């Protein structure tokens, strides 16, 4: 069992775009684990009023914060705003997780327990022994598998899941990341953060999770994100080669 003291140092960043069917229940479920956790919802002015729904329950949950951005600007950038806010507030263990219940809150204590073993970041991984993916179509399964094999071939970080945004970071890990260097705003931000941590020699761990495709609402993954997933990995590798040659 984790102590209230650990939970009171924990913040969970939830990026949202059109999650009206999920957000209230997700917040309730997380506070069901511990009322001491801080939740930071980062909403991009969702047309379905997700942001307002979250605001409306702030009275009931004093540790709930909502950041409103003016327009849809990508999952990655939304999380970065949330991370910066959590650092400002003094949080020590900082999560990111999706709003659609693909990431089961039941894994929050497992991720925390692993990070307390001495990791700088822990990934809830879909590609370890013991992991499961439920409810994903063939196209999506192949795309994700391929994107991960490809990213590993080019970036060479010894992790199995580059693109799942269910993660816990320590404060030190987030402080080590140069957010100004991250230009992209979508999924590639996950690979970019891992890459920076890996290059700085920080310790990345993974635990197996069961990933369940969303039951409510629709996916925000666009065609553009799918193609840029491939070109951005090369750009990332190239930027780093340039950086190293400038310094030497
Ligand atoms: N703030 C913000 N959140 C986003 C944006 N795009 C996606 N999300 C959120 O990021 C998470 C993952 O998106 P989702 O649509 O489930 O993508 P998928 O799981 O890859 O199909 C969900 O919580 C979304 O609401 C965005 O542009 N801005
Ligand atoms: Mg999803």
């Amino acid at each position: 069992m984790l102590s209230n003291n650990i939970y009171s140092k924990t913040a969970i960043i939830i990026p949202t775009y059109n999650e009206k069917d999920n957000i209230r229940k997700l917040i309730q479920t997380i506070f069901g684990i511990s009322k001491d956790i801080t939740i930071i919802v980062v909403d991009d002015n969702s047309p379905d009023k997700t942001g307002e729904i979250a605001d409306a329950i702030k009275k009931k949950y004093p540790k709930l914060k909502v950041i409103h951005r003016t327009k849809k600007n990508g999952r990655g950038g939304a999380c970065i705003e949330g991370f910066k806010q959590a650092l400002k507030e003094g949080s020590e263990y900082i999560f990111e997780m999706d709003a659609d219940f693909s990431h089961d809150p039941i894994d929050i204590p497992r991720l925390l327990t692993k990070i307390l073993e001495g990791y700088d970041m822990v990934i809830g991984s879909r590609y370890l022994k013991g992991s499961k993916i439920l409810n994903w179509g063939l196209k999506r399964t192949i795309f994700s598998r391929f994107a991960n094999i490809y990213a590993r071939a080019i970036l060479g970080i010894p992790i199995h899941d580059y693109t799942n945004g269910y993660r816990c970071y320590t404060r030190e890990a987030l402080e080590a990341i140069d957010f100004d260097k991250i230009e992209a705003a979508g999924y590639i931000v996950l690979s970019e953060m891992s890459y920076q941590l890996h290059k700085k020699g920080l310790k990345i761990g993974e635990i197996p999770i069961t990933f369940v495709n969303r039951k409510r609402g629709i996916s925000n993954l666009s065609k553009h994100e799918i193609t840029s997933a491939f070109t951005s990995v090369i750009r990332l590798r190239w930027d780093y080669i340039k950086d190293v040659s400038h310094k030497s």
Side-chain angles (χ1 to χ4, degrees):
M1 271 290 275
L2 293 161
S3 67
N4 288 348
N5 182 37
I6 296 292
Y7 285 124
S8 67
K9 293 178 186 162
T10 298
I12 300 190
I13 315 305
I14 308 173
T16 57
Y17 193 75
N18 285 348
E19 300 287 2
K20 72 171 168 45
D21 297 325
N22 298 309
I23 192 64
R24 201 180 287 117
K25 186 164 167 231
L26 180 62
I27 290 168
Q28 267 170 9
T29 311
I30 296 172
F31 285 132
I33 297 170
S34 168
K35 285 261 188 317
D36 296 315
I37 295 174
T38 295
I39 296 180
I40 304 177
V41 172
V42 189
D43 184 70
D44 279 4
N45 203 6
S46 297
D48 76 351
K49 306 233 178 306
T50 302
E52 285 86 336
I53 295 170
D55 274 335
I57 51 176
K58 274 198 305 206
K59 262 197 226 109
K60 189 168 167 200
Y61 301 114
K63 300 208 75 173
L64 170 64
K65 316 242 146 69
V66 185
I67 297 176
H68 296 274
R69 307 202 308 168
T70 51
K71 62 177 193 334
K72 179 161 169 40
N73 221 350
R75 183 195 185 282
C79 286
I80 291 175
E81 285 219 27
F83 293 147
K84 288 181 177 167
Q85 183 61 32
L87 289 177
K88 247 190 237 160
E89 291 183 15
S91 305
E92 291 289 336
Y93 311 107
I94 300 133
F95 282 71
E96 61 179 298
M97 77 187 286
D98 290 352
D100 59 359
F101 283 95
S102 289
H103 301 152
D104 191 335
I106 211 165
D107 295 320
I108 291 170
R110 294 180 57 229
L111 282 151
L112 271 173
T113 303
K114 182 84 175 177
I115 209 125
L116 292 170
E117 285 172 18
Y119 290 90
D120 298 296
M121 171 174 88
V122 177
I123 301 172
S125 175
R126 296 164 300 186
Y127 301 119
L128 288 178
K129 201 166 164 246
S131 306
K132 270 198 198 118
I133 298 179
L134 302 179
N135 224 10
W136 246 9
L138 186 64
K139 255 207 314 237
R140 191 68 201 258
T141 310
I142 293 172
F143 166 63
S144 174
R145 260 288 182 198
F146 187 65
N148 271 286
I149 293 169
Y150 172 85
R152 190 168 166 145
I154 294 182
L155 300 177
I157 315 166
I159 55 177
H160 299 82
D161 199 337
Y162 282 69
T163 50
N164 197 22
Y166 197 9
R167 296 174 161 190
C168 180
Y169 304 84
T170 59
R171 176 178 192 83
E172 291 71 26
L174 289 184
E175 282 173 347
I177 290 173
D178 182 355
F179 288 116
D180 293 337
K181 221 177 145 193
I182 301 181
E183 284 165 29
Y187 275 77
I188 189 69
V189 173
L190 290 163
S191 298
E192 191 151 1
M193 288 178 70
S194 313
Y195 198 52
Q196 285 199 24
L197 293 177
H198 173 64
K199 287 292 168 197
K200 292 198 160 134
L202 292 166
K203 205 171 155 199
I204 305 177
E206 284 180 286
I207 60 166
I209 56 132
T210 296
F211 177 94
V212 190
N213 191 25
R214 68 161 70 240
K215 298 200 175 86
R216 290 160 185 272
I218 54 164
S219 168
N220 287 288
L221 189 72
S222 64
K223 285 221 175 67
H224 169 73
E225 284 240 19
I226 293 180
T227 44
S228 76
F230 291 95
T231 47
S232 304
V233 167
I234 297 188
R235 198 250 317 140
L236 201 60
R237 182 79 185 89
W238 174 242
D239 283 357
Y240 185 76
I241 294 171
K242 269 195 321 208
D243 260 21
V244 171
S245 57
H246 273 303
K247 276 175 199 151
S248 57

